[in-house]
Amino acid sequence: MSSAFHGLPAGPPAPPTGRGSLLVPLYVHPVVDPAAWRALEDAAPGLYGAVLNAADGPGERPDPVYAAAAARLRRAGVRLLGYVDTDYADRPTHAVYRDLRRHRAWYATDGVFFDRVASGARQVAYYRWLARTARLCGARTVVFNPGVHPDPGYARIADLLVTFEGSWDDYQHLTVPHWTAGHPAARFCHLVHGVPDGLAVRAGRMAAVRGAGVHCAVPGVPPNPWQSVPVPAGGAV
């Protein structure tokens, strides 16, 4: 499997403006696949951001190799989002707070990617607290990933809401609730794995039609599809 971003934009370093449309959760250590990390640097202008996930979060201690790779991304202008598991609102808030602080202290993250986010109205208060706490910790961007369309209240809290995470086959049948039309497309993201070769462009177009201005399409499959980088964007659609 190729680790190169063939067809993705490359250029001089740019500040993390968030104007790109690709959010890349790259869950592979830079020692295991250094080419994938270098490709992220080259693709910086086209990225919304990259999700840093050293060990299902920041880990128990700083990783100097991981920190060096994160620093290179930051110098390239990539917005860095620290991965924080919320266990569908069952994770204790002190553990979430600890991860937020570690990501900032160890890897100088710009924002946070809250994963395994609940989708019901009953849990909105929990996530409102998390978003407020993250911003107090210095997060300029707060991403929620329920992986489905949640209660509309979540869209009023997060800067970016992942409303689909799943396989290419499931993505063909996605329906979008009407309430999403009341928000800019830049507030929504679709993460699609198992994308066949040559269909990355189609995945991006499908996301746009469905009101998601941010997306990622990778060829990888479970249990960890996000150890692969986005599929080539120059193939046939």
Side-chain angles (χ1 to χ4, degrees):
M1 182 180 299
S2 172
S3 293
F5 281 75
H6 301 295
L8 293 184
T17 61
R19 293 175 183 170
S21 61
L22 286 175
L23 173 63
V24 181
L26 184 57
Y27 300 165
V28 62
H29 197 277
V31 167
V32 175
D33 194 349
W37 284 74
R38 289 194 297 269
L40 277 184
E41 297 175 48
D42 294 337
L47 299 182
Y48 177 93
V51 182
L52 300 186
N53 187 3
D56 291 329
E60 294 301 318
R61 59 188 58 84
D63 181 333
V65 175
Y66 200 90
R72 289 192 293 271
L73 289 181
R74 189 167 52 253
R75 287 194 295 270
V78 179
R79 172 166 34 192
L80 304 181
L81 306 171
Y83 177 97
V84 177
D85 181 24
T86 71
D87 195 17
Y88 304 104
D90 284 336
R91 193 171 185 217
T93 54
H94 73 270
V96 173
Y97 178 72
R98 179 194 62 207
D99 281 1
L100 288 169
R101 296 297 299 269
R102 285 178 174 178
H103 274 301
R104 286 284 292 168
W106 298 348
Y107 306 120
T109 51
D110 308 294
V112 58
F113 181 91
F114 286 118
D115 198 24
R116 297 208 298 165
V117 170
S119 59
R122 185 172 58 87
Q123 293 89 359
V124 167
Y126 173 90
Y127 289 99
R128 185 180 297 111
W129 184 91
L130 293 191
R132 182 171 62 248
T133 300
R135 291 181 175 115
L136 288 173
C137 288
R140 294 195 293 271
T141 303
V142 174
V143 181
F144 287 166
N145 180 24
V148 297
H149 286 92
D151 180 88
Y154 290 82
R156 294 190 288 270
I157 304 169
D159 299 301
L160 184 68
L161 193 61
V162 179
T163 53
F164 179 86
E165 180 182 358
S167 71
W168 171 252
D169 290 340
D170 288 343
Y171 195 49
Q172 309 310 302
H173 309 291
L174 177 68
T175 58
V176 179
H178 294 300
W179 66 260
T180 60
H183 300 274
R187 300 286 299 282
F188 299 106
C189 174
H190 293 167
L191 302 178
V192 189
H193 56 71
V195 178
D197 289 346
L199 296 184
V201 170
R202 183 179 296 179
R205 289 175 178 170
M206 289 172 67
V209 168
R210 292 166 170 175
V214 181
H215 75 285
C216 188
V218 299
V221 295
N224 180 17
W226 308 114
Q227 62 184 333
S228 59
V229 295
V231 294
V237 296

